[in-house]
Amino acid sequence: MIKEINGIKIEGISCCVPKKTVLNKYSKENQHRARAIKAIGIERRPVANENINTSDLVLKSAKNILKKLKWKVNDVDILIFVTQTPDYLTPATSGILQDKLNLKKSTFVLDINLGCSGYTHGLITISSLMQNLKLKKGLLAVGDVTTQLVNNKDNVSNLLFGDAGSVTALLNTENNSNKILCNYYSDGSGFEDIIVNTHSLSGRNKISKSDFKKKKDKNNNIRSNINIKLNGPNIFSFAINTIPPTLKKILKNVKNIKYCFLHQANKMIQENISSHIKQNYKNVIFPSSLKNFGNTSSASIPITICSNFSKKKIKGNSIFCGFGVGLSISTVVVNLSKTKIFKIIKI
Amino acid sequence: MSKNSKKILNHLSKILEKKNLKPTDNISELKLFDSIIILQIINMCNLNFKKKIDGLQISKCKKIIDIINLIEKK
């Protein structure tokens, strides 16, 4: 079911990535690696060194967007931060960002633990709160330093992820011609398909010494319980079987959709979904940022927007589709024709 | 071997980059068979045969004919 959030407009989008870029190299002798790189379509990725926290990438994006939009910090009524790599287990990183940005004490601040569907889930959450609480200006921060969760001997995950942060500025115009359409889907039975087994300090998942022990799986991937573990085939099946019908339903009901910004998971998923959609909707464009940024988790949709449109207007309506950890999917339809898209900055 | 089986074998041959792939070939003896190949097989089934194949079921197959049967029976 497609739902409507009225009055909310996206004013601007800003992104930040680490300066350091890692190339997905391969040698002629390593056919497996060469094939994997070709299949996932990622040539290089921004990678944060160990001194960079997710909040650093987001803070830079936030300062940039506030300056460029000429927003005063006192005008920000809500800040939501979506991440699965927070600075601390507790407290929430949104509070740290509030302090570093010098936002007023009456700002509503909240962290959400989500990965690849985080941008769209975050947009739905912040827009709903802004509409219902009649908040004027909001910042949606998203980002992750997922590469720090990956074991460098995990042959596929080690090629996939890039690190990035992003901030989207939202304005409550209280004008119903500005609307955000959305729908969402969640299947918690797939919780083990993208998991870090031990990042808890309590209960039965409490971290212990044995969790640091590296183990080899049947595909010769080496990881420990503190590393991210992906069930590629399950995630892939979930994406290609669930997303095309969801997108088709939106395309059938919403006019003038020019762009579909998918979460940048890998090339195979993108090609599969776009080929399903293009059977009926030939003119829909699927922009990509995979080749140069990899899978940047919740920041991948804003990274795709900023890397492709910082000097261009985005005409018509756009679909954002985030999917992944949970397992979860959410889609949002917005009009970005008056949105200011800023060039990606580096730290 | 049915026409459809031959078509599946043809697709598998392209994915596995092996021209003379036979239904009797043992998967464990193939040079290329990893998680990426499994994704490519799932993708091929979805795009060409509109079938949902489970990655775990593919990884349990011992011979190429097992994959062909798995796809045909879905």
Side-chain angles (χ1 to χ4, degrees):
Chain A
M1 193 178 163
I2 301 170
K3 297 188 177 175
E4 222 175 274
I5 305 164
N6 288 311
I8 311 299
K9 188 182 152 202
I10 296 182
E11 283 281 276
I13 303 172
S14 171
C15 291
C16 176
V17 296
K19 266 182 195 158
K20 183 182 162 191
T21 298
V22 170
L23 296 175
N24 279 347
K25 288 180 190 165
Y26 59 89
S27 60
K28 280 181 186 172
E29 293 75 42
N30 195 341
Q31 278 192 61
H32 286 276
R33 192 173 163 89
R35 285 174 47 81
I37 292 169
K38 200 178 154 193
I40 62 176
I42 298 165
E43 291 182 6
R44 58 183 70 82
R45 306 165 287 123
V47 172
N49 65 40
E50 285 185 356
N51 293 322
I52 294 180
N53 283 348
T54 314
S55 69
D56 300 327
L57 298 165
V58 163
L59 185 67
K60 194 83 179 171
S61 304
K63 284 182 175 171
N64 185 48
I65 204 165
L66 289 169
K67 188 180 165 193
K68 297 265 171 70
L69 291 177
K70 294 178 183 157
W71 278 20
K72 290 175 186 156
V73 286
N74 270 341
D75 292 341
V76 177
D77 301 307
I78 178 167
L79 166 71
I80 289 186
F81 181 36
V82 185
T83 188
Q84 51 191 6
T85 52
D87 292 9
Y88 301 97
L89 190 62
T90 196
T93 312
S94 50
I96 299 168
L97 285 166
Q98 178 204 13
D99 181 53
K100 286 187 178 170
L101 287 166
N102 207 18
L103 302 183
K104 63 191 177 197
K105 300 288 186 279
S106 58
T107 310
F108 182 94
V109 296
L110 173 74
D111 270 25
I112 296 176
N113 179 345
L114 259 181
C116 304
S117 56
Y119 186 60
T120 40
H121 266 66
L123 275 176
I124 295 169
T125 309
I126 194 167
S127 305
S128 307
L129 282 165
M130 286 175 72
Q131 181 194 254
N132 284 311
L133 300 176
K134 297 194 178 356
L135 306 174
K136 188 76 181 163
K137 290 183 177 177
L139 297 177
L140 172 66
V142 296
D144 274 308
V145 285
T146 317
T147 60
Q148 294 182 17
L149 299 177
V150 176
N151 191 300
N152 60 12
K153 288 186 177 161
D154 187 333
N155 301 322
V156 179
S157 299
N158 191 28
L159 301 168
L160 272 182
F161 293 106
D163 299 324
S166 171
V167 171
T168 298
L170 296 107
L171 181 69
N172 189 351
T173 63
E174 294 182 34
N175 174 351
N176 286 352
S177 65
N178 295 312
K179 60 181 72 175
I180 288 177
L181 305 176
C182 64
N183 76 353
Y184 39 85
Y185 175 93
S186 185
D187 180 5
S189 70
F191 78 98
E192 283 181 310
D193 291 335
I194 304 172
I195 192 165
V196 180
N197 274 300
T198 311
H199 263 254
S200 176
L201 295 178
S202 59
R204 62 182 171 273
N205 300 326
K206 192 174 173 178
I207 199 159
S208 67
K209 269 186 184 173
S210 64
D211 289 314
F212 290 87
K213 198 178 168 190
K214 291 169 189 166
K215 294 170 206 159
K216 197 186 263 189
D217 72 9
K218 61 179 180 181
N219 290 319
N220 292 323
N221 296 303
I222 295 172
R223 63 177 88 83
S224 72
N225 275 351
I226 64 158
N227 297 130
I228 194 164
K229 185 179 159 193
L230 307 177
N231 184 336
N234 280 10
I235 304 160
F236 189 75
S237 295
F238 173 73
I240 63 172
N241 292 315
T242 319
I243 296 168
T246 306
L247 293 180
K248 280 180 186 174
K249 198 196 286 176
I250 292 170
L251 286 157
K252 198 179 162 188
N253 287 290
V254 185
K255 286 180 185 168
N256 194 25
I257 290 179
K258 295 254 191 295
Y259 295 98
C260 181
F261 293 92
L262 295 175
H263 160 60
Q264 305 288 293
N266 68 56
K267 192 174 136 195
M268 272 190 287
I269 290 182
Q270 286 197 320
E271 287 183 348
N272 182 296
I273 294 170
S274 64
S275 90
H276 276 293
I277 299 305
K278 281 180 180 287
Q279 285 169 8
N280 305 99
Y281 303 94
K282 282 181 191 166
N283 297 327
V284 176
I285 300 164
F286 289 79
S288 176
S289 60
L290 261 181
K291 190 178 160 187
N292 295 320
F293 295 91
N295 177 342
T296 49
S297 187
S298 53
S300 82
I301 293 174
I303 284 281
T304 305
I305 295 169
C306 292
S307 62
N308 286 285
F309 295 94
S310 68
K311 286 175 187 165
K312 293 179 220 161
K313 286 274 175 207
I314 305 181
K315 291 176 184 169
N317 289 320
S318 298
I319 302 179
F320 298 163
C321 178
F323 56 89
V325 68
L327 297 170
S328 58
I329 295 178
S330 48
T331 49
V332 164
V333 180
V334 285
N335 189 301
L336 300 173
S337 55
K338 288 181 183 164
T339 302
K340 292 188 174 85
I341 313 292
F342 302 112
K343 202 176 154 191
I344 296 172
I345 45 177
K346 294 183 180 183
I347 55 168
Chain B
M1 203 181 193
S2 72
K3 202 176 164 185
N4 207 35
S5 298
K6 279 182 189 167
K7 210 172 150 188
I8 297 168
L9 183 66
N10 216 6
H11 280 293
L12 290 174
S13 165
K14 280 181 195 160
I15 291 171
L16 291 158
E17 296 175 6
K18 193 170 184 242
K19 279 182 185 171
N20 55 348
L21 187 73
K22 292 176 194 128
T24 51
D25 282 349
N26 283 321
I27 289 169
S28 60
E29 287 164 17
L30 294 170
K31 263 189 190 175
L32 301 173
F33 203 94
D34 55 14
S35 57
I36 295 288
I37 295 284
I38 293 175
L39 297 190
Q40 288 176 315
I41 295 171
I42 295 171
N43 197 27
M44 176 267 285
C45 294
N46 179 278
L47 288 177
N48 299 289
F49 302 97
K50 291 188 175 150
K51 289 186 178 184
K52 293 180 189 178
I53 303 291
D54 192 71
L56 190 66
Q57 287 175 304
I58 300 171
S59 60
K60 282 179 183 168
C61 292
K62 298 254 171 16
K63 290 176 184 282
I64 291 297
I65 188 69
D66 299 333
I67 301 178
I68 295 171
N69 289 338
L70 178 69
I71 300 169
E72 284 219 294
K73 280 175 192 167
K74 277 275 170 181

